[in-house]
Amino acid sequence: MTRALVTNRSSLAHEQALRWALLASLGLLSAACGGTTLDDSSGNQGGSGSQGGSGNQGGNVMQQGGTSQGGGSQFTSCSAPKTDPLTGLVSCAEGYTHRPLAKQCGIVTNIAAPPGDVPVPNPLPRADGSLMCSTETSALCDSFQFGYCDLQQDGGGLQVPTCQSGCVADADCGAGQACICGDAESPTGGVCRYVSCRIDQDCGSGSFCASAGQACGAGTYACQTAQDECASDADCGTGVGCVYAQDGDAGAHRQCGSDVVCGRPFLVEDQARLAPVVSGGDWLDRDSALPRVDHLSWAERSALADHWTHLGRMEHASIAAFARFSLQLLSLGAPPELVDSCTQALADETAHTKLCFR
């Protein structure tokens, strides 16, 4: 006689337990990955999270030059503009900010003030967001340029304390990044963000270099386009954010909501855990060709290496998340199709990890 696990589908308590376990294991009971814009007065990152000083988490290639991208969009108006003297950002009644000029951020008292408008020379390396810290170990971050320990939102929407680097000017940041002033945690008041434009002039006539939310990770600054469906969250429905994302033939533009799925973190006591990075080749996908990098500058190669290393660590942690999820499904008597799907997802995360490190 063949025995099989049977799920009591008529048991309301069992179904509720399974439902809540699914949500909790997938992180859907914690902070969700949203799409909110930058704060309209200080330039701080909103609910969609922020990045470390080197801006490893996602981003867009910066568009140089002054080609107009406005194209008569209905979302380019800026009513009741107000310039913040600290950040240089202009806030608009429509719910977004734009960056007319590259502002040099201020220096706090514990860092020597620069003479005139010359940024502070600092030979220390910049933090890449991979070194975890705490209130007790925040001194670890002093070994980085304008280093500090801060909670940063990862791709799964969770707050993780890591060492970050502040900035004074855009020149302190990597390729495709800008130093956005107004962050209260940074010792300089500035943080590096991946952007598609640095100032309004990059976008041409009729278009601002405006704040934009992203579905996962940090917000950004991008030129307004004729394809934009919104200017800020205020143009979307309740609980739906205005996010800047790639959308097929339409290209990258602002839209209400997003079908982007954020990474699945591995949680221990509600904290995301990532494995440290060590030298080695065990996690390389040896079946795929090496990416071509000879046409890239050293700064571009370095930024991409940091970015894919961070994603590799996130994918690696997702293996553990799905392994634990599989055990939870079994403990609740979940049907085999769910267990099969979870096993396949675990295999996918393993493949993704190897591809990222490749």
Side-chain angles (χ1 to χ4, degrees), residues 18 22 69 152 175 177 184 269 315 322 325 343:
L18 179 58
L22 289 170
Q69 299 189 35
Q152 300 294 323
Q177 295 178 310
E269 296 181 348
E315 298 288 353
F322 277 108
F325 185 37
T343 302

Side-chain angles (χ1 to χ4, degrees), residues 37-188:
T37 60
L38 298 171
D39 184 272
D40 64 1
S41 61
S42 66
N44 293 332
Q45 295 296 338
S48 62
S50 56
Q51 295 174 227
S54 63
N56 294 324
Q57 199 170 324
N60 304 293
V61 178
M62 180 143 93
Q63 301 168 353
Q64 302 288 353
T67 302
S68 173
Q69 299 189 35
S73 171
Q74 61 174 316
F75 298 107
T76 57
S77 60
C78 179
S79 305
K82 182 179 179 181
T83 302
D84 188 320
L86 176 65
T87 67
L89 300 174
V90 177
S91 60
C92 306
E94 286 77 7
Y96 67 88
T97 64
H98 66 93
R99 198 172 188 240
L101 297 172
K103 174 76 173 181
Q104 180 174 303
C105 302
I107 304 294
V108 294
T109 55
N110 63 331
I111 297 180
D117 294 331
V118 180
V120 177
N122 194 325
L124 296 176
R126 294 189 62 78
D128 63 5
S130 62
L131 180 61
M132 297 188 70
C133 56
S134 66
T135 304
E136 293 76 18
T137 62
S138 59
L140 292 172
C141 304
D142 293 342
S143 60
F144 298 105
Q145 183 181 19
F146 306 130
Y148 64 106
C149 183
D150 190 28
L151 286 172
Q152 300 294 323
Q153 191 168 357
D154 64 15
L158 295 171
Q159 299 292 327
V160 182
T162 58
C163 286
Q164 310 296 327
S165 278
C167 56
V168 175
D170 289 350
D172 293 329
C173 303
Q177 295 178 310
C179 182
I180 306 299
C181 305
D183 189 286
E185 301 298 328
S186 169
T188 63

